[in-house]
Amino acid sequence: MNLSAWLSAEILGLGFLLTFALLFYIFYYWKHRASYQKELEELRRIDAFTRLRKTIGQAIENGRGLQISIGSGGLNGIRGAAGLVSLSMLLVITQKSCKGDQSPQVTSGDGALASLAQDTLHKAYRLAAVESNSKASQNQVTGITPFSYAAGAMLTILDQPLQANLLAGNFGSEAGLLAEAGERSSQLVIAGSDGLPAQSVMLATADDALIGEELFAGGAYLSAEPSHEASVKAQDILRWIIILIILAGVILKLAGAL
Amino acid sequence: MDSITCLTCGHLNPPDNHKCEICGSPIETQDSPIDATKSGSQSPNPPEDLSSPHIPGEIHGVGGLLGKASLTPAQQAHTRLLKELIAGEGTTPTPPGQPKMRANNLLRIGVGSVIILLILISLLVELPFFSPPELSSETLAARQLIYSLPPGAPVLVAFDYQPAYIGEMSRASQGILAHLMAQQAYLTLISTQPTGPALAELLIAEIGRYTGSVYQAPEQYQNLGYLPGGASGLLIFSEKPHQMTPVTADGEPAWENSEVNQINHISDFSLVLVITDDPETGRTWIEQIGPKLGDKPLVFVSSAQAAPILQPYYASQPQQLQGLISGVAGGMAYQESALFFLNNNQAGVPWSTYSLALWAGAAIMILGVIVAFICRMNEEDSEPRSGGMKP
Amino acid sequence: MRRRPFSVFLLVIAIASGLVVLLGYWINLPALATLRDLFVRWAAILAGMAVLVGILNLLYVHWLKVSQPKPGGAYSLALLIAFVLTFLVAIVDTPTGSWSLWIFRYVQLPVEASLLALLAITLLVAVFRMLHRRFDWFSLVFIGTAILILVGSTYLPEVNMPVLQSLRTWLLQVPTVAGARGILLGIGIGVVATGVRILTGSDRPYEG
Amino acid sequence: MIIGLLLTLCVFSYWLHDNALFRLAIHIFIGATAAYVTAILWFNVIWPQVLHPIWSGNLKNTLLALVPLILSILLIFKVFPRLSAAGSPALAYMVGVGAAVAIGGAIIGTIVPQTLTAINSFDLQAAQTSGESSWITTINQGIILIGTLTSLVYFHFSARQKFNQPPARAGWIEDIARIGKIFIAITLGALLAGVFMAATAALVERLNFLSQFVQSLISG
């Protein structure tokens, strides 16, 4: 007998969503109240993020910029989520680096993402109370299909004396070409994507790769924002809930209850 | 000053280095900016130690592996070149300014020339060395579904792959598309990627060249062109196809032919065939369209890179995918098994050359493991590293 | 920090439109369903328009490079010329006309396919570099699986390798499925987290 | 045909070294692709879905058709730095709907089905009835279950800060995560093989194109 017949998928899904939203709010207010200082120590070490945080500082020291490629996913569906994560990372990175007049170079493969990146840059300048000096070429669409985007981004990577490349967003296997271009110009390459082929390629080509869900924790690892912290905590708990549901379901199945 | 140990490969680097000479990964000292252009001096232990011992190991490895792939003397010469080049990664005298860039370039050129020459040679010799792939159960299932289609059955075909994959995807899908045409199905072509419509037209024309009878629009197929909005677009298309795609790719009114003018819901198609290179796109189709199809079958032609993710949907209970043809192998198997003959064995991606290239790739990867292992042996004295992404 | 009224307005738009669509997944009211379909359809059309915005941005940046002489201005000029020519042909001849298809076939396809072909070489080199970077069991399992599957995907008549092929099938049907399911679930959770942050207004990428 | 050949060679030259020909080919390619996409957009989106509906049908349809038109115009404002702010509402709308579709897709499309499949695939009855010997099937199902759970655990982020040590997760979580990492490595390895196969197909196809061209020249 099929479990989905016994338990309506919609109900289960709604349960997941509400649980997550609830947990998110609880943690959000908890973090907000308690004036938390050591959020970062509360997360397991992920080499890619550790190195990224160092690199941001070094970029300012050497006056060499960062390039952030936020992919060509657009805003729809799961790909869109990857793009939104990369934007929240862009906000944090720009806030940190624009004081040293080293605001990052952004490339994207979609108009909506590029516009959002522009707004994010402005917002970062505003929050950092720095005069916006962003040029049109600082945030550009380098191509409109995944491969033409990758090809254009390769050229911008090869052209500029960059400290590091962050590939965060929706990519296909063409991400390998971007990573290789960064390697050619001896830049550090940190890469993460929601696409699975891209992840395998990044693992092989990039200096540091983010696997699966790690990309979606980017905000929490880079900033001390309570909302990011809260969502990571909520993610952890939701994950355990799913694990328990699977275990319970299997046990019930073995017991023949389903 | 003490020399710095690279946390990544354990290699001892001179104190002024910021990127490891061996692995090129940044050396994490708090105050040292990662700047490869600064690191350039020779490694404390002479690089010859790194390279010389592993030559025999490689001869064993390469001989053993490429041997299976029937090496011509020319190819052996090139594998030897490759070995020297990898040895070069340790030994190349690296002038200040570009530490391991040159070694990397040499490695890239070496590896590239080996595999390119291998492919070119086997293309010219054309030896039918590898036997054609076997017909897998999911491919067989797809074939049975096509056979069961009545003439004139409306079939939705999605061309959702990047033009870059045309070699693999056309080889994978030619068989089933030619079969659909042989069954006189009425094809409705669509794509959620703007370059899809052109790919569709090209493939239809190409198959026409192979089979001798070219499908004609709008009598035998209509090309609905580009469907914007990814998941959202599909969601609406599945319920209101006319509303979401009122015209064809070249702006003519669509849905005019008798085979399709009665179609008001995705489940009115007799079969949905999705040709994709990307597991995300594939999952979007399965998740948005699958549930709405009712008892109508959903069949995939997928690139080899998407197959590992899509296969579970075929195996799942209840089955979310009724047929799957994956990669060049799947396409070949389908063609071999079908009752008609496509005269395209030497066009596009010849199976024998392709197989040989895969063998060469595997051999080079094994070579990489051997080289890395031997380098590792030489680094034994430095602190061991648990490595990569720590759990 | 007090929010400006405009950003409050944006916040309301984002949350309202999002909630309508989200509720449509669960609450089964005809009116809501119609509204949701309308919203989603508009979003799909806008996604198409966003592509156009991207193209305009692309052209704008390259126009700047051409107009105010910069290094690489010539390339940008080539890009703009290629754009104008192709656009004229594709508009006059329609995107599926023979001329448009000719350009597609002999300009776009070769470059894209060649880039992907380069990736094959890049990956092989990357394997060397990766194993030098970190020679640990994770990398070895990673590369080892790849090798096994590559070898198991071909069929030698002389050397029959049932073991290799069944091992490949097992790898693809058991551990790969397990790992993929875990990763996909993880990504799913991450996506939900991102979406919730947007719909609760704690992430507002749209406010400049 | 000759153009295709030249462009192919230009791109392949990047394999040797980054050079002007490669850059030229790439720029032409980006321009041509963008133009083709623009034409497709005109024929499939802008005309039939945004402009045409305005003066077709009754007042209600016209009004409904005005909304995407206005939103589209607002979106286009985003291109011009001065008018950029005017485009934000359209963008906010897209972000809102996009986030909702993402949540819906992730929950209805991925989380729930994958969870249920993980449970349902562990099916002893099926194991008994299946052709192959039942205990092998059961073992495989067990492995899949363990793999799914452990690789999920691998992602667990929260950790505890011990006294002047890097933050680490509880020991037992670490152990489970280590197992999960093996499965993740295998999955990504399988995908790497897939990507390599796809890329190799492209390489073979391109080289075949070249060699056939050369052969046709030789044969005249």
Side-chain angles (χ1 to χ4, degrees), chain B residues 8-9 89 129-131 163-164 232 235 240 359 375 386 388, chain C residues 36-37 40 105 109 112 132-134 136 154-157:
Chain B
T8 310
C9 69
E89 183 161 40
F129 185 73
F130 292 85
S131 54
S232 319
L235 194 65
K240 304 185 179 72
W359 271 90
C375 293
S386 68
Chain C
R36 162 172 171 266
D37 284 5
V40 174
R105 178 177 199 151
L109 279 184
E112 277 216 13
H132 272 295
R133 263 203 315 274
R134 38 167 194 261
D136 57 354
T154 57
Y155 300 82
L156 284 166

PDB file of all heavy atoms in Angstrom, chain B residues 8-9 89 129-131 163-164 232 235 240 359 375 386 388, chain C residues 36-37 40 105 109 112 132-134 136 154-157:
ATOM      1  N   THR B   8      46.740  22.419   2.088  1.00  0.00           N
ATOM      2  CA  THR B   8      45.987  21.592   1.153  1.00  0.00           C
ATOM      3  C   THR B   8      46.749  20.343   0.754  1.00  0.00           C
ATOM      4  O   THR B   8      46.264  19.232   0.906  1.00  0.00           O
ATOM      5  CB  THR B   8      45.667  22.427  -0.101  1.00  0.00           C
ATOM      6  OG1 THR B   8      45.101  23.653   0.345  1.00  0.00           O
ATOM      7  CG2 THR B   8      44.679  21.703  -0.981  1.00  0.00           C
ATOM      8  N   CYS B   9      47.995  20.551   0.281  1.00  0.00           N
ATOM      9  CA  CYS B   9      48.717  19.356  -0.191  1.00  0.00           C
ATOM     10  C   CYS B   9      49.886  19.016   0.722  1.00  0.00           C
ATOM     11  O   CYS B   9      50.603  18.055   0.481  1.00  0.00           O
ATOM     12  CB  CYS B   9      49.223  19.574  -1.612  1.00  0.00           C
ATOM     13  SG  CYS B   9      50.540  20.790  -1.677  1.00  0.00           S
ATOM     14  N   GLU B  89      55.222  19.304 -14.192  1.00  0.00           N
ATOM     15  CA  GLU B  89      54.535  20.129 -13.205  1.00  0.00           C
ATOM     16  C   GLU B  89      55.418  20.332 -11.989  1.00  0.00           C
ATOM     17  O   GLU B  89      55.445  21.390 -11.402  1.00  0.00           O
ATOM     18  CB  GLU B  89      53.218  19.489 -12.790  1.00  0.00           C
ATOM     19  CG  GLU B  89      52.450  20.342 -11.821  1.00  0.00           C
ATOM     20  CD  GLU B  89      50.986  19.956 -11.772  1.00  0.00           C
ATOM     21  OE1 GLU B  89      50.697  18.764 -11.812  1.00  0.00           O
ATOM     22  OE2 GLU B  89      50.159  20.867 -11.694  1.00  0.00           O
ATOM     23  N   PHE B 129      35.480  -0.882 -33.259  1.00  0.00           N
ATOM     24  CA  PHE B 129      36.160  -1.612 -32.193  1.00  0.00           C
ATOM     25  C   PHE B 129      35.204  -1.954 -31.066  1.00  0.00           C
ATOM     26  O   PHE B 129      35.251  -3.035 -30.503  1.00  0.00           O
ATOM     27  CB  PHE B 129      37.319  -0.759 -31.680  1.00  0.00           C
ATOM     28  CG  PHE B 129      38.167  -1.457 -30.659  1.00  0.00           C
ATOM     29  CD1 PHE B 129      39.028  -2.471 -31.048  1.00  0.00           C
ATOM     30  CD2 PHE B 129      38.082  -1.114 -29.326  1.00  0.00           C
ATOM     31  CE1 PHE B 129      39.800  -3.127 -30.109  1.00  0.00           C
ATOM     32  CE2 PHE B 129      38.855  -1.768 -28.391  1.00  0.00           C
ATOM     33  CZ  PHE B 129      39.713  -2.767 -28.783  1.00  0.00           C
ATOM     34  N   PHE B 130      34.303  -1.039 -30.748  1.00  0.00           N
ATOM     35  CA  PHE B 130      33.388  -1.250 -29.636  1.00  0.00           C
ATOM     36  C   PHE B 130      32.049  -1.742 -30.161  1.00  0.00           C
ATOM     37  O   PHE B 130      31.547  -1.257 -31.163  1.00  0.00           O
ATOM     38  CB  PHE B 130      33.184   0.049 -28.868  1.00  0.00           C
ATOM     39  CG  PHE B 130      34.407   0.505 -28.136  1.00  0.00           C
ATOM     40  CD1 PHE B 130      35.376   1.258 -28.779  1.00  0.00           C
ATOM     41  CD2 PHE B 130      34.606   0.175 -26.810  1.00  0.00           C
ATOM     42  CE1 PHE B 130      36.508   1.667 -28.112  1.00  0.00           C
ATOM     43  CE2 PHE B 130      35.736   0.587 -26.138  1.00  0.00           C
ATOM     44  CZ  PHE B 130      36.689   1.332 -26.787  1.00  0.00           C
ATOM     45  N   SER B 131      31.480  -2.705 -29.470  1.00  0.00           N
ATOM     46  CA  SER B 131      30.170  -3.197 -29.906  1.00  0.00           C
ATOM     47  C   SER B 131      29.094  -2.225 -29.430  1.00  0.00           C
ATOM     48  O   SER B 131      29.272  -1.549 -28.419  1.00  0.00           O
ATOM     49  CB  SER B 131      29.916  -4.584 -29.298  1.00  0.00           C
ATOM     50  OG  SER B 131      30.075  -4.479 -27.892  1.00  0.00           O
ATOM     51  N   PRO B 163      22.188  24.693 -27.024  1.00  0.00           N
ATOM     52  CA  PRO B 163      22.750  24.340 -28.327  1.00  0.00           C
ATOM     53  C   PRO B 163      24.100  23.623 -28.211  1.00  0.00           C
ATOM     54  O   PRO B 163      24.441  22.806 -29.062  1.00  0.00           O
ATOM     55  CB  PRO B 163      22.926  25.697 -29.016  1.00  0.00           C
ATOM     56  CG  PRO B 163      21.940  26.585 -28.369  1.00  0.00           C
ATOM     57  CD  PRO B 163      21.816  26.115 -26.954  1.00  0.00           C
ATOM     58  N   ALA B 164      24.832  23.900 -27.128  1.00  0.00           N
ATOM     59  CA  ALA B 164      26.153  23.279 -26.982  1.00  0.00           C
ATOM     60  C   ALA B 164      26.054  21.755 -27.017  1.00  0.00           C
ATOM     61  O   ALA B 164      26.956  21.078 -27.494  1.00  0.00           O
ATOM     62  CB  ALA B 164      26.797  23.728 -25.675  1.00  0.00           C
ATOM     63  N   SER B 232       6.824  28.714 -13.972  1.00  0.00           N
ATOM     64  CA  SER B 232       5.528  29.406 -14.031  1.00  0.00           C
ATOM     65  C   SER B 232       4.901  29.219 -15.396  1.00  0.00           C
ATOM     66  O   SER B 232       3.710  28.901 -15.511  1.00  0.00           O
ATOM     67  CB  SER B 232       5.727  30.901 -13.769  1.00  0.00           C
ATOM     68  OG  SER B 232       6.645  31.087 -12.742  1.00  0.00           O
ATOM     69  N   LEU B 235       3.491  25.794 -15.788  1.00  0.00           N
ATOM     70  CA  LEU B 235       2.295  25.623 -14.968  1.00  0.00           C
ATOM     71  C   LEU B 235       1.062  26.082 -15.740  1.00  0.00           C
ATOM     72  O   LEU B 235       0.075  25.348 -15.867  1.00  0.00           O
ATOM     73  CB  LEU B 235       2.450  26.443 -13.685  1.00  0.00           C
ATOM     74  CG  LEU B 235       1.479  26.156 -12.547  1.00  0.00           C
ATOM     75  CD1 LEU B 235       1.684  24.761 -12.024  1.00  0.00           C
ATOM     76  CD2 LEU B 235       1.669  27.173 -11.435  1.00  0.00           C
ATOM     77  N   LYS B 240      -3.657  25.840 -19.820  1.00  0.00           N
ATOM     78  CA  LYS B 240      -4.227  26.656 -20.908  1.00  0.00           C
ATOM     79  C   LYS B 240      -3.206  26.795 -22.034  1.00  0.00           C
ATOM     80  O   LYS B 240      -2.645  27.862 -22.240  1.00  0.00           O
ATOM     81  CB  LYS B 240      -4.612  28.034 -20.370  1.00  0.00           C
ATOM     82  CG  LYS B 240      -5.574  28.009 -19.197  1.00  0.00           C
ATOM     83  CD  LYS B 240      -5.970  29.431 -18.821  1.00  0.00           C
ATOM     84  CE  LYS B 240      -6.951  29.454 -17.665  1.00  0.00           C
ATOM     85  NZ  LYS B 240      -6.339  29.097 -16.366  1.00  0.00           N
ATOM     86  N   TRP B 359      37.252   5.924 -22.835  1.00  0.00           N
ATOM     87  CA  TRP B 359      38.344   5.115 -22.261  1.00  0.00           C
ATOM     88  C   TRP B 359      39.562   5.992 -22.008  1.00  0.00           C
ATOM     89  O   TRP B 359      40.166   5.943 -20.928  1.00  0.00           O
ATOM     90  CB  TRP B 359      38.706   3.988 -23.213  1.00  0.00           C
ATOM     91  CG  TRP B 359      37.911   2.758 -22.976  1.00  0.00           C
ATOM     92  CD1 TRP B 359      36.712   2.443 -23.551  1.00  0.00           C
ATOM     93  CD2 TRP B 359      38.224   1.698 -22.085  1.00  0.00           C
ATOM     94  NE1 TRP B 359      36.276   1.246 -23.067  1.00  0.00           N
ATOM     95  CE2 TRP B 359      37.179   0.755 -22.173  1.00  0.00           C
ATOM     96  CE3 TRP B 359      39.294   1.439 -21.225  1.00  0.00           C
ATOM     97  CZ2 TRP B 359      37.161  -0.416 -21.433  1.00  0.00           C
ATOM     98  CZ3 TRP B 359      39.279   0.272 -20.480  1.00  0.00           C
ATOM     99  CH2 TRP B 359      38.219  -0.643 -20.592  1.00  0.00           C
ATOM    100  N   CYS B 375      53.145  11.776  -5.633  1.00  0.00           N
ATOM    101  CA  CYS B 375      53.530  13.063  -5.022  1.00  0.00           C
ATOM    102  C   CYS B 375      53.245  13.000  -3.527  1.00  0.00           C
ATOM    103  O   CYS B 375      54.048  13.418  -2.695  1.00  0.00           O
ATOM    104  CB  CYS B 375      52.741  14.197  -5.662  1.00  0.00           C
ATOM    105  SG  CYS B 375      53.152  14.464  -7.375  1.00  0.00           S
ATOM    106  N   SER B 386      43.434  16.091   6.398  1.00  0.00           N
ATOM    107  CA  SER B 386      42.173  15.364   6.174  1.00  0.00           C
ATOM    108  C   SER B 386      41.477  15.904   4.940  1.00  0.00           C
ATOM    109  O   SER B 386      40.688  15.233   4.313  1.00  0.00           O
ATOM    110  CB  SER B 386      41.246  15.525   7.367  1.00  0.00           C
ATOM    111  OG  SER B 386      40.837  16.868   7.416  1.00  0.00           O
ATOM    112  N   GLY B 388      40.040  18.770   1.802  1.00  0.00           N
ATOM    113  CA  GLY B 388      38.829  19.256   1.161  1.00  0.00           C
ATOM    114  C   GLY B 388      37.778  19.829   2.084  1.00  0.00           C
ATOM    115  O   GLY B 388      38.065  20.597   2.992  1.00  0.00           O
TER     116      GLY B 388
ATOM    117  N   ARG C  36      -4.465  33.550  -9.014  1.00  0.00           N
ATOM    118  CA  ARG C  36      -3.106  33.006  -8.982  1.00  0.00           C
ATOM    119  C   ARG C  36      -2.623  32.746 -10.400  1.00  0.00           C
ATOM    120  O   ARG C  36      -1.526  33.157 -10.787  1.00  0.00           O
ATOM    121  CB  ARG C  36      -3.105  31.721  -8.165  1.00  0.00           C
ATOM    122  CG  ARG C  36      -1.906  30.847  -8.386  1.00  0.00           C
ATOM    123  CD  ARG C  36      -1.894  29.706  -7.410  1.00  0.00           C
ATOM    124  NE  ARG C  36      -0.869  28.743  -7.749  1.00  0.00           N
ATOM    125  CZ  ARG C  36      -1.098  27.672  -8.485  1.00  0.00           C
ATOM    126  NH1 ARG C  36      -2.298  27.448  -8.978  1.00  0.00           N
ATOM    127  NH2 ARG C  36      -0.120  26.823  -8.746  1.00  0.00           N
ATOM    128  N   ASP C  37      -3.477  32.095 -11.215  1.00  0.00           N
ATOM    129  CA  ASP C  37      -3.072  31.834 -12.596  1.00  0.00           C
ATOM    130  C   ASP C  37      -2.692  33.126 -13.299  1.00  0.00           C
ATOM    131  O   ASP C  37      -1.683  33.203 -13.993  1.00  0.00           O
ATOM    132  CB  ASP C  37      -4.224  31.141 -13.349  1.00  0.00           C
ATOM    133  CG  ASP C  37      -4.333  29.691 -12.953  1.00  0.00           C
ATOM    134  OD1 ASP C  37      -3.578  29.297 -12.043  1.00  0.00           O
ATOM    135  OD2 ASP C  37      -5.159  28.967 -13.528  1.00  0.00           O
ATOM    136  N   VAL C  40       0.659  34.364 -11.984  1.00  0.00           N
ATOM    137  CA  VAL C  40       1.780  33.538 -12.461  1.00  0.00           C
ATOM    138  C   VAL C  40       2.013  33.804 -13.941  1.00  0.00           C
ATOM    139  O   VAL C  40       3.146  33.930 -14.409  1.00  0.00           O
ATOM    140  CB  VAL C  40       1.487  32.048 -12.198  1.00  0.00           C
ATOM    141  CG1 VAL C  40       2.562  31.186 -12.823  1.00  0.00           C
ATOM    142  CG2 VAL C  40       1.388  31.787 -10.715  1.00  0.00           C
ATOM    143  N   ARG C 105      23.068  27.960 -37.172  1.00  0.00           N
ATOM    144  CA  ARG C 105      23.809  26.708 -37.344  1.00  0.00           C
ATOM    145  C   ARG C 105      25.304  26.938 -37.491  1.00  0.00           C
ATOM    146  O   ARG C 105      26.111  26.169 -36.968  1.00  0.00           O
ATOM    147  CB  ARG C 105      23.272  25.999 -38.582  1.00  0.00           C
ATOM    148  CG  ARG C 105      23.987  24.725 -38.891  1.00  0.00           C
ATOM    149  CD  ARG C 105      23.362  24.042 -40.075  1.00  0.00           C
ATOM    150  NE  ARG C 105      23.744  22.643 -40.082  1.00  0.00           N
ATOM    151  CZ  ARG C 105      22.980  21.689 -40.594  1.00  0.00           C
ATOM    152  NH1 ARG C 105      21.804  21.998 -41.081  1.00  0.00           N
ATOM    153  NH2 ARG C 105      23.388  20.441 -40.591  1.00  0.00           N
ATOM    154  N   LEU C 109      25.993  27.606 -33.060  1.00  0.00           N
ATOM    155  CA  LEU C 109      26.263  26.207 -32.709  1.00  0.00           C
ATOM    156  C   LEU C 109      27.755  25.897 -32.619  1.00  0.00           C
ATOM    157  O   LEU C 109      28.205  25.346 -31.616  1.00  0.00           O
ATOM    158  CB  LEU C 109      25.582  25.282 -33.720  1.00  0.00           C
ATOM    159  CG  LEU C 109      24.098  25.036 -33.496  1.00  0.00           C
ATOM    160  CD1 LEU C 109      23.567  24.036 -34.491  1.00  0.00           C
ATOM    161  CD2 LEU C 109      23.855  24.541 -32.077  1.00  0.00           C
ATOM    162  N   GLU C 112      29.259  27.402 -29.328  1.00  0.00           N
ATOM    163  CA  GLU C 112      28.782  26.748 -28.105  1.00  0.00           C
ATOM    164  C   GLU C 112      29.344  25.342 -27.989  1.00  0.00           C
ATOM    165  O   GLU C 112      29.912  24.956 -26.961  1.00  0.00           O
ATOM    166  CB  GLU C 112      27.245  26.695 -28.099  1.00  0.00           C
ATOM    167  CG  GLU C 112      26.610  27.956 -27.609  1.00  0.00           C
ATOM    168  CD  GLU C 112      25.345  27.701 -26.800  1.00  0.00           C
ATOM    169  OE1 GLU C 112      25.085  26.552 -26.417  1.00  0.00           O
ATOM    170  OE2 GLU C 112      24.611  28.675 -26.556  1.00  0.00           O
ATOM    171  N   HIS C 132      45.948  17.059  -6.641  1.00  0.00           N
ATOM    172  CA  HIS C 132      47.122  17.694  -6.026  1.00  0.00           C
ATOM    173  C   HIS C 132      46.690  18.575  -4.869  1.00  0.00           C
ATOM    174  O   HIS C 132      47.339  18.633  -3.826  1.00  0.00           O
ATOM    175  CB  HIS C 132      47.870  18.533  -7.060  1.00  0.00           C
ATOM    176  CG  HIS C 132      48.877  17.736  -7.822  1.00  0.00           C
ATOM    177  ND1 HIS C 132      49.968  17.175  -7.222  1.00  0.00           N
ATOM    178  CD2 HIS C 132      48.938  17.388  -9.134  1.00  0.00           C
ATOM    179  CE1 HIS C 132      50.671  16.522  -8.130  1.00  0.00           C
ATOM    180  NE2 HIS C 132      50.053  16.620  -9.292  1.00  0.00           N
ATOM    181  N   ARG C 133      45.549  19.279  -5.058  1.00  0.00           N
ATOM    182  CA  ARG C 133      45.063  20.181  -4.005  1.00  0.00           C
ATOM    183  C   ARG C 133      44.732  19.399  -2.744  1.00  0.00           C
ATOM    184  O   ARG C 133      45.181  19.716  -1.654  1.00  0.00           O
ATOM    185  CB  ARG C 133      43.818  20.913  -4.483  1.00  0.00           C
ATOM    186  CG  ARG C 133      44.054  22.294  -5.028  1.00  0.00           C
ATOM    187  CD  ARG C 133      42.798  23.134  -4.943  1.00  0.00           C
ATOM    188  NE  ARG C 133      41.613  22.411  -5.397  1.00  0.00           N
ATOM    189  CZ  ARG C 133      41.232  22.342  -6.670  1.00  0.00           C
ATOM    190  NH1 ARG C 133      41.964  22.909  -7.611  1.00  0.00           N
ATOM    191  NH2 ARG C 133      40.130  21.708  -7.024  1.00  0.00           N
ATOM    192  N   ARG C 134      43.912  18.375  -2.905  1.00  0.00           N
ATOM    193  CA  ARG C 134      43.517  17.601  -1.722  1.00  0.00           C
ATOM    194  C   ARG C 134      43.425  16.136  -2.115  1.00  0.00           C
ATOM    195  O   ARG C 134      42.513  15.712  -2.806  1.00  0.00           O
ATOM    196  CB  ARG C 134      42.194  18.094  -1.149  1.00  0.00           C
ATOM    197  CG  ARG C 134      41.161  18.504  -2.157  1.00  0.00           C
ATOM    198  CD  ARG C 134      39.809  18.654  -1.496  1.00  0.00           C
ATOM    199  NE  ARG C 134      38.782  18.722  -2.513  1.00  0.00           N
ATOM    200  CZ  ARG C 134      38.260  19.875  -2.926  1.00  0.00           C
ATOM    201  NH1 ARG C 134      38.654  21.005  -2.395  1.00  0.00           N
ATOM    202  NH2 ARG C 134      37.322  19.885  -3.856  1.00  0.00           N
ATOM    203  N   ASP C 136      42.562  13.241  -0.636  1.00  0.00           N
ATOM    204  CA  ASP C 136      41.940  12.557   0.500  1.00  0.00           C
ATOM    205  C   ASP C 136      40.916  11.561  -0.030  1.00  0.00           C
ATOM    206  O   ASP C 136      40.646  11.520  -1.232  1.00  0.00           O
ATOM    207  CB  ASP C 136      41.273  13.571   1.435  1.00  0.00           C
ATOM    208  CG  ASP C 136      40.252  14.411   0.684  1.00  0.00           C
ATOM    209  OD1 ASP C 136      40.172  14.263  -0.550  1.00  0.00           O
ATOM    210  OD2 ASP C 136      39.548  15.213   1.309  1.00  0.00           O
ATOM    211  N   THR C 154      30.958   1.729 -21.713  1.00  0.00           N
ATOM    212  CA  THR C 154      31.280   1.288 -23.074  1.00  0.00           C
ATOM    213  C   THR C 154      31.254  -0.239 -23.122  1.00  0.00           C
ATOM    214  O   THR C 154      31.286  -0.898 -22.093  1.00  0.00           O
ATOM    215  CB  THR C 154      32.683   1.767 -23.479  1.00  0.00           C
ATOM    216  OG1 THR C 154      33.602   1.253 -22.505  1.00  0.00           O
ATOM    217  CG2 THR C 154      32.751   3.272 -23.486  1.00  0.00           C
ATOM    218  N   TYR C 155      31.206  -0.767 -24.344  1.00  0.00           N
ATOM    219  CA  TYR C 155      31.014  -2.208 -24.505  1.00  0.00           C
ATOM    220  C   TYR C 155      32.086  -2.772 -25.421  1.00  0.00           C
ATOM    221  O   TYR C 155      32.090  -2.521 -26.618  1.00  0.00           O
ATOM    222  CB  TYR C 155      29.627  -2.482 -25.085  1.00  0.00           C
ATOM    223  CG  TYR C 155      28.511  -1.977 -24.218  1.00  0.00           C
ATOM    224  CD1 TYR C 155      28.137  -0.639 -24.265  1.00  0.00           C
ATOM    225  CD2 TYR C 155      27.854  -2.815 -23.318  1.00  0.00           C
ATOM    226  CE1 TYR C 155      27.121  -0.161 -23.457  1.00  0.00           C
ATOM    227  CE2 TYR C 155      26.837  -2.345 -22.513  1.00  0.00           C
ATOM    228  CZ  TYR C 155      26.481  -1.021 -22.586  1.00  0.00           C
ATOM    229  OH  TYR C 155      25.470  -0.545 -21.792  1.00  0.00           O
ATOM    230  N   LEU C 156      33.027  -3.507 -24.821  1.00  0.00           N
ATOM    231  CA  LEU C 156      34.069  -4.157 -25.620  1.00  0.00           C
ATOM    232  C   LEU C 156      33.640  -5.571 -25.950  1.00  0.00           C
ATOM    233  O   LEU C 156      33.305  -6.338 -25.044  1.00  0.00           O
ATOM    234  CB  LEU C 156      35.370  -4.191 -24.829  1.00  0.00           C
ATOM    235  CG  LEU C 156      36.154  -2.879 -24.717  1.00  0.00           C
ATOM    236  CD1 LEU C 156      37.206  -3.010 -23.643  1.00  0.00           C
ATOM    237  CD2 LEU C 156      36.779  -2.526 -26.034  1.00  0.00           C
ATOM    238  N   PRO C 157      33.618  -5.946 -27.232  1.00  0.00           N
ATOM    239  CA  PRO C 157      33.236  -7.320 -27.570  1.00  0.00           C
ATOM    240  C   PRO C 157      34.284  -8.342 -27.098  1.00  0.00           C
ATOM    241  O   PRO C 157      33.953  -9.352 -26.509  1.00  0.00           O
ATOM    242  CB  PRO C 157      33.136  -7.295 -29.092  1.00  0.00           C
ATOM    243  CG  PRO C 157      33.971  -6.137 -29.510  1.00  0.00           C
ATOM    244  CD  PRO C 157      33.909  -5.132 -28.403  1.00  0.00           C
TER     245      PRO C 157
END
